[in-house]
Amino acid sequence: MVDAAISDVRELSTPAKRTGMRRMLQRKSSIAFLMTLPLILLIGLLVLYPAFYAVHLATLNKSMQRFVGLSNFTFLFNRETFWMVVRQSCIFALTAVIFKALIGFVVAHFVHNVPANKQRRWRGILLIPWVIPPAMSTLAWLWLFDPSYSAFNWILVHLGLSPVAWTGDAYWARFSVILINVWFGAPFFLIMYLAALKSVPDQLYEAAQIDGANWWQRIWFVTLPMMRNIIAITVLFSTIVTFANFDIVQVLTAGGPIDKTHVFATWAFRLGIQGGDIPLGASVSLFMFPILAVCAIFILRDIRRRGNEAS
Amino acid sequence: MRSAMTRRAAIKTAALATTALIAAPYIRGAHAAGKLAIGFWDHWVPGANNATKTLVEEWAAKEKVDVTIDYIPSQGMKNLITIAAESQARSGHDIFAFPSWQPHGHADNLAPVNDIMDELIKQNGAVNDTVTYLGKLGDKWLAVPATVGSQIKGPCSRIDLFKKHAGIDLQEIYPAGAAPKADSWTLDTFLKAAEACHKAGFPFGIGLGTTADSVDSAGAFFHAYGATLVDAKGNITVKTDAVRQALEFYKKLASFMPSDIPAWDDASNNKWLVSGRGAHIMNPPSAWAVAKRDAPQVAEQLWTHGFPVGPKGRFAPFLPYFWGIWSFSKNIPAAKSLLVHLSTRSAAEKMVAASGGYDLPSFASFTNFKTWAEEGPPKGTLYHYPNPHNHQVLSISAAPAPPKIAYQIYTEGLQTKMIVRYMQGEPMEKVLAWGETEVEGFMRT
């Protein structure tokens, strides 16, 4: 009774406010915002704060006592090793993403054509590389590529061929890190493309077949356009992740020999943590951010535009 | 009635109080005991951590200090990451085990330990120049040299293979229990031995990567030629005849070693020796200890000895660890008391014994422990490991450059990279020019 009386008094005192609040809570967008708020806070804490802190660090001098503006970046631009790392990161990321996308696309078609009752088994097997933490699986690869005791070399020697300096020669070392990245990342493309393939309506293929389209034309005019958004998103996502790769290179070659396999993350670690120059390390790790951000904006805008056209 | 104090009496009282403060052990007052958190290096030798644990617990029980110890491995550079994080956050442990270059890197955040270092040097004998170079900034002692983790990366060779293929009796040059007779053990002899063992199918295994073992070995050979990349005053000295000679020597040496040495890490040389494929590596006794466990027939043929002498002397790479106290520690007096306790002769002897002779105290009078004389097989294999007859200069790669520059040269493995470039066919002058621009980059403040 008393509670009821109090609530009545409150309602009478702030009717407009209560109604406004209720109306706001009834809005779908408000509910959505409230439900995503914990995630937004988490991202703010674990992603945005470190990102801005890294920007702050990149503007300090080596002893982190004075503001130097963009001096760290101008210093890097004059370093031969920096441009070598830029080149290598691009070679590493672009080659790996292209091969991951191609292998993922081809294998997704194979799995899609496997009878439905056996598909689950194949999906499980093919996903194994992706579910093993890359630092762990790279250790296994390290044993296979070991400078002196490589299992691959053992096979080559038994076949009468010369052993290969997998991690000792710059070109083989680059090949090795790209190979592992492709091995690890291709299943992600496979599973995304497989999902996309399953969403293409069969009627489209039937119509194309009636129109006399061959296998290649069906791929080119039906499958690829229907998968365009998924391909764009997976390529974008994978490019960002591959550019930021650390564990595979660090475990396999640690950037060697003579820096020929360093990528941004491993070189930033070498300069910042091992070399005690945290501002310079932060500058290296931030270098790709604007380039990737612009790519992301264009690709995502393109996807949204196509989405709007479709609807 | 007022009691007047003369100026002389006041000075006398102040001097006595200061002396008592420095010399007296840490005395637990009613509220002084407090807590102490320690971050020790996690020793790779099984059971070696127990020595520090027992010593700390003894001290803690006596001083009534609540102590917690974390053993942090250097694998994956976890210790370096922890140091960087604690230094940034100005929070964490009170005492931390700092690898060689770290005290200088965090000098501003370390409490000076001049008072205890002066006492320890009086008590235990002098420390070598490398310890002073790495542990002191101007007049400030940044940290106390730690027994645990400190090491000389001297040559470890196969007695049988050297005798058979190179005609060198290592036990005669470096006899157990006696001073070395190493006048004939020169860089030329070393190169001839490398060639002979290579021809016999047992090449030397000295890495040319950028990890510590490779960089340390290269540094010692550079020192033997008097080759420095930056001098003590900070002048760049890359384009000198000494550096050219060192590169020429290494190119010849590399031609007698496996072709994949640019990819070697700190485990590769150990594996090379333990597997029986190689006749020689540069390492502390860890490879011998592993061989004793896994390949006893190899271990009983291993002999740890001194470096070959070059035109400018005989240099061995010395990598000291340091125990430093963060300036943000809330219990600095207790931390200092503990470090004094850990730096006594008996404490050092226990640590050396627990590590099977691997750990190396930095004080001059601590090189004659019975562990090194008695460990085997073969008996006496570690006798010369601690440089007991002081016949080689204990040095570190990239010295005598100012430590902040030297640290960059060391971490980047600049010397080994220059060697690999030259070895793989890049012209000498181009390699030197590249090295010079790299060093210029390390000069930034």
Side-chain angles (χ1 to χ4, degrees):
Chain A
M1 182 74 181
V2 176
D3 289 347
I6 289 171
S7 76
D8 287 344
V9 172
R10 278 183 185 162
E11 270 183 26
L12 283 170
S13 61
T14 54
K17 203 175 173 186
R18 288 279 311 226
T19 323
M21 179 73 91
R22 192 175 289 167
R23 202 174 290 156
M24 196 190 84
L25 285 173
Q26 278 170 349
R27 256 186 247 139
K28 272 186 182 175
S29 57
S30 305
I31 298 289
F33 174 74
L34 284 174
M35 291 180 84
T36 52
L37 192 59
L39 188 64
I40 291 169
L41 290 176
L42 210 63
I43 288 172
L45 194 70
L46 300 177
V47 179
L48 291 180
Y49 169 69
F52 282 108
Y53 189 58
V55 173
H56 164 67
L57 286 175
T59 59
L60 300 178
N61 71 328
K62 190 175 173 181
S63 55
M64 300 200 288
Q65 285 163 333
R66 105 189 118 77
F67 176 79
V68 292
L70 296 175
S71 293
N72 288 326
F73 292 96
T74 51
F75 170 79
L76 283 173
F77 294 159
N78 291 320
R79 312 298 309 152
E80 186 191 322
T81 312
F82 173 72
W83 290 113
M84 189 171 81
V85 170
V86 172
R87 203 167 51 242
Q88 278 157 200
S89 298
C90 292
I91 292 171
F92 174 74
L94 299 179
T95 317
V97 170
I98 288 169
F99 277 98
K100 280 187 274 192
L102 278 176
I103 293 170
F105 188 79
V106 172
V107 179
H109 274 84
F110 281 129
V111 176
H112 186 54
N113 290 324
V114 167
N117 58 343
K118 290 177 184 166
Q119 270 199 19
R120 190 186 293 176
R121 191 185 309 159
W122 278 104
R123 278 204 306 264
I125 291 169
L126 290 166
L127 270 179
I128 287 173
W130 197 54
V131 295
I132 303 172
M136 293 278 287
S137 52
T138 310
L139 271 179
W141 281 98
L142 182 63
W143 293 330
L144 296 171
F145 287 135
D146 186 280
S148 304
Y149 309 97
S150 163
F152 290 141
N153 279 349
W154 185 84
I155 295 169
L156 289 176
V157 169
H158 277 77
L159 292 173
L161 301 167
S162 301
V164 173
W166 296 105
T167 52
D169 177 85
Y171 294 103
W172 280 114
R174 282 177 185 161
F175 167 81
S176 304
V177 289
I178 291 169
L179 176 73
I180 299 172
N181 194 278
V182 171
W183 175 84
F184 170 73
F188 168 71
F189 281 79
L190 155 74
I191 210 74
M192 296 296 281
Y193 290 170
L194 191 60
L197 276 176
K198 289 195 180 298
S199 66
V200 180
D202 284 342
Q203 294 91 318
L204 292 179
Y205 289 112
E206 285 162 14
Q209 209 159 5
I210 291 164
D211 289 342
N214 59 23
W215 177 84
W216 174 245
Q217 286 167 322
R218 283 204 300 276
I219 292 277
W220 191 254
F221 294 109
V222 179
T223 311
L224 280 176
M226 293 301 289
M227 288 173 71
R228 221 168 124 184
N229 281 354
I230 288 288
I231 290 172
I233 287 173
T234 40
V235 166
L236 172 70
F237 181 75
S238 181
T239 306
I240 292 169
V241 170
T242 312
F243 260 116
N245 186 274
F246 174 78
D247 33 20
I248 290 174
V249 177
Q250 185 66 22
V251 173
L252 195 74
T253 64
I258 47 171
D259 297 330
K260 292 288 174 79
T261 56
H262 264 309
V263 288
F264 288 112
T266 55
W267 202 50
F269 183 75
R270 167 68 63 85
L271 293 176
I273 301 294
Q274 286 179 272
D277 196 341
I278 289 176
L280 200 63
S283 308
V284 171
S285 63
L286 284 173
F287 177 72
M288 279 309 289
F289 175 71
I291 300 167
L292 289 175
V294 169
C295 290
I297 288 166
F298 276 107
I299 292 177
L300 292 174
R301 202 178 62 173
D302 195 37
I303 289 168
R304 201 171 50 241
R305 195 177 290 159
R306 277 202 301 273
N308 292 342
E309 281 166 13
S311 62
Chain B
M1 191 177 165
R2 284 174 65 195
S3 64
M5 194 177 212
T6 62
R7 186 180 60 86
R8 193 178 292 271
I11 292 170
K12 197 176 166 187
T13 312
L16 283 170
T18 311
T19 312
L21 200 69
I22 291 168
Y26 169 71
I27 299 167
R28 181 183 67 84
H31 305 288
K35 292 180 178 178
L36 205 61
I38 307 163
F40 278 141
W41 172 60
D42 188 14
H43 214 298
W44 67 270
V45 174
N49 290 343
N50 291 336
T52 43
K53 188 167 177 275
T54 310
L55 285 161
V56 170
E57 281 171 356
E58 272 171 22
W59 173 86
K62 195 174 134 206
E63 303 292 347
K64 304 282 185 283
V65 176
D66 183 10
V67 174
T68 50
I69 307 177
D70 293 314
Y71 287 97
I72 301 159
S74 49
Q75 211 169 17
M77 292 164 223
K78 289 184 192 78
N79 56 346
L80 295 188
I81 294 167
T82 312
I83 290 168
E86 292 192 0
S87 180
Q88 280 285 295
R90 293 186 58 79
S91 167
H93 298 90
D94 296 284
I95 295 175
F96 208 95
F98 291 87
S100 312
W101 296 100
Q102 294 296 315
H104 268 276
H106 299 280
D108 294 340
N109 282 335
L110 287 171
V113 287
N114 291 42
D115 45 358
I116 57 175
M117 270 310 286
D118 292 344
E119 284 303 314
L120 289 173
I121 289 170
K122 268 187 213 157
Q123 185 185 302
N124 303 331
V127 290
N128 63 60
D129 289 346
T130 298
V131 171
T132 310
Y133 170 73
L134 294 167
K136 207 172 177 185
L137 178 62
D139 292 332
K140 177 186 172 184
W141 272 105
L142 304 167
V144 174
T147 298
V148 177
S150 297
Q151 54 189 285
I152 290 177
K153 292 188 179 172
C156 182
S157 311
R158 285 278 295 267
I159 301 165
D160 53 345
L161 298 175
F162 262 60
K163 213 177 269 180
K164 189 176 173 190
H165 303 298
I168 295 170
D169 187 348
L170 290 168
Q171 288 167 303
E172 197 185 306
I173 300 176
Y174 285 94
K181 302 164 197 162
D183 290 347
S184 62
W185 183 232
T186 63
L187 287 180
D188 284 342
T189 317
F190 182 81
L191 211 53
K192 281 176 192 158
E195 187 175 7
C197 290
H198 172 69
K199 272 186 190 155
F202 298 98
F204 287 12
I206 303 169
L208 278 176
T210 51
T211 53
D213 284 4
S214 303
V215 174
D216 292 325
S217 306
F221 285 115
F222 269 57
H223 282 308
Y225 281 100
T228 56
L229 301 183
V230 175
D231 67 17
K233 289 177 184 165
N235 301 312
I236 298 175
T237 51
V238 175
K239 288 180 177 171
T240 58
D241 287 343
V243 175
R244 289 188 183 91
Q245 284 170 5
L247 290 176
E248 287 293 356
F249 167 82
Y250 239 104
K251 188 175 183 178
K252 276 185 211 153
L253 177 63
S255 67
F256 305 133
M257 294 200 283
S259 61
D260 51 17
I261 46 173
W264 279 25
D265 59 18
D266 290 348
S268 308
N269 49 0
N270 291 27
K271 284 190 275 182
W272 186 249
L273 195 68
V274 176
S275 68
R277 292 177 67 183
H280 164 97
I281 62 164
M282 301 285 187
N283 221 43
S286 46
W288 167 78
V290 174
K292 201 162 80 159
R293 187 191 65 198
D294 297 343
Q297 74 288 358
V298 171
E300 61 197 27
Q301 292 296 336
L302 295 179
W303 202 249
T304 297
H305 55 93
F307 247 74
V309 66
K312 297 292 175 190
R314 195 187 300 276
F315 293 85
F318 180 57
L319 271 291
Y321 253 78
F322 290 89
W323 290 315
I325 305 167
W326 288 121
S327 57
F328 45 80
S329 162
K330 291 192 176 73
N331 213 347
I332 291 177
K336 286 186 176 176
S337 168
L338 175 59
L339 293 188
V340 170
H341 177 72
L342 293 176
S343 304
T344 58
R345 185 178 170 91
S346 65
E349 197 157 10
K350 282 175 191 158
M351 293 174 207
V352 171
S355 68
Y358 176 94
D359 292 336
L360 210 54
S362 294
F363 297 101
S365 65
F366 287 5
T367 58
N368 53 359
F369 296 157
K370 64 179 182 183
T371 304
W372 295 308
E374 290 175 0
E375 275 287 352
K379 195 179 176 194
T381 184
L382 301 185
Y383 175 78
H384 288 280
Y385 169 60
N387 195 30
H389 298 279
N390 212 18
H391 86 304
Q392 48 188 354
V393 179
L394 301 187
S395 62
I396 188 161
S397 189
K404 286 198 171 167
I405 300 168
Y407 179 36
Q408 305 282 316
I409 295 173
Y410 186 96
T411 315
E412 283 290 325
L414 188 57
Q415 286 157 324
T416 53
K417 282 180 196 166
M418 287 171 71
I419 294 165
V420 173
R421 280 171 177 257
Y422 186 54
M423 183 185 106
Q424 291 182 344
E426 225 174 275
M428 172 74 82
E429 293 311 311
K430 199 178 167 195
V431 171
L432 295 179
W434 175 81
E436 201 171 58
T437 56
E438 286 293 296
V439 172
E440 280 165 10
F442 301 153
M443 298 286 184
R444 61 193 288 278
T445 54

